[in-house]
């Protein structure tokens, strides 16, 4: 009986995942170019939500600094695109600021390979260093959350203040081509959408492999009882550092895709407000469920876009009401609603079997 239940649950999940993938790949057939670009941006956000769910939902560590990792990935891609658009000349904002030569740390970003690697590795390395300092000293809970917010303030102040090197508050923009193809062309946007869907599916599969592995079981054990994990011989700090680095790397990857779809990255996109919104995506979708994290990112940003278009003066009230409804009536998030419906169907089926006199043998 237990084996049959597990098998049916697995088949049900596979069917949901397959249907979701088909819907995403078929979206260009029914959506306009504008709506498709919006959906691509939301799917990039979903990659951030996956990484945040890995560290918060499965490891129990709340980070309010993922906007920094997202922004670092975005800047890495934007720097490459800006240099490509400049055609060997100095970027315009550097010229306006009085620079006469390209800074040494900008030169490696002339290579797309370096930019892609940096967009993932730089956030991961920063998270690894921060995790080493905090987790090794057993700094956790609200204290770790405050430190991540401090990281946001430091990085935003740094990027705003160094206008000659980062573009200041305006950020890095003014680029329009990738490998010679216009980023504004419908065909390019369509291909970038498919790339984003493929990356999202790949990130989801990687995260699922992690949470289903022995490593993932240790992460959940740390979430539920860190001291017990330490007492049985594991070093929680190592697992926390690795999970935090993977989460930051995913955020950086999402930032690179975001820049390709939106065409701009600025310090405001790596601030405290975006970092808090990322946490809300996971909370509304369902903490501790990878599918819920993806659903929350897409659902919340879609609602934000729809409400702001239809009710420009009151959309924040509708969004606030949505938060209240989810927190009060869906404490496990949107994914918990599907779980409840599935459990209800299962209970009705068992009730019908007992009513009809069908007895299942005990396992």
């Amino acid at each position: 009986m237990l084996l049959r239940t597990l098998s049916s649950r697995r088949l049900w999940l596979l069917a949901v995942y397959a249907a979701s993938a088909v819907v995403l790949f078929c979206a260009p057939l029914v959506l306009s170019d504008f709506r498709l670009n919006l959906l691509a941006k939301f799917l990039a956000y979903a990659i951030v939500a996956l990484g945040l769910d890995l560290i918060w939902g499965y490891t129990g560590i709340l980070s309010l600094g993922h906007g920094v990792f997202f922004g670092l990935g975005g800047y890495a891609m934007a720097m490459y695109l800006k240099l490509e658009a400049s055609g060997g000349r100095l970027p315009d904002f550097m010229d306006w600021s009085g620079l006469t030569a390209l800074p040494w740390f900008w030169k490696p970003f002339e290579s797309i390979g370096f930019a892609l690697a940096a967009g993932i590795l730089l956030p991961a390395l920063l998270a690894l260093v921060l995790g080493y300092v905090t987790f090794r000293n057993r700094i956790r809970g609200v204290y770790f959350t405050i430190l991540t917010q401090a990281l946001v303030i430091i990085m935003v102040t740094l990027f705003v203040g160094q206008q000659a090197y980062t573009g200041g508050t305006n950020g890095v923009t003014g680029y329009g081509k990738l490998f010679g193809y216009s980023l504004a062309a419908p065909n390019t946007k369509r291909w970038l959408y498919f790339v984003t869907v493929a990356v999202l599916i790949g990130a989801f599969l990687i995260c699922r492999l992690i949470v289903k592995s022995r490593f993932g079981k240790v992460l959940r054990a740390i979430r539920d009882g860190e001291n017990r994990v330490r007492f049985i011989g594991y070093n929680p700090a190592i697992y926390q550092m690795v999970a935090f680095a993977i989460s930051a790397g995913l955020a950086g990857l999402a930032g690179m895709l975001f820049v390709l779809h939106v065409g701009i990255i600025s310090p405001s996109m790596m601030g405290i407000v975006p970092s808090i919104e990322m946490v809300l995506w996971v909370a509304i979708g369902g903490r501790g469920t990878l599918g819920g994290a993806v659903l929350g990112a897409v659902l919340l940003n879609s609602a934000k876009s729809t409400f702001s278009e239809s009710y420009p003066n009151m959309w924040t009230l509708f969004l606030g009401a949505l938060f209240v409804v989810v927190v009060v009536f869906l404490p496990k998030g949107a994914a918990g609603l599907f779980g409840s419906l599935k459990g209800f169907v299962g209970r009705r089926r068992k009730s019908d079997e007992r009513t009809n006199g069908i007895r299942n043998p005990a396992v």
Side-chain angles (χ1 to χ4, degrees), residues 24 27 30 35 44 102 107 165 198 201 244 298:
L24 290 177
V30 296
R35 296 297 175 187
L102 189 68
K107 291 182 179 179
Y165 305 105
I201 293 175
F244 194 32
V298 176

Side-chain angles (χ1 to χ4, degrees), residues 290-308:
L290 297 176
V294 174
L295 180 63
V298 176
L299 179 64
L300 183 55
N301 284 286
S302 298
K304 183 178 178 180
S305 177
T306 302
F307 291 151
S308 62

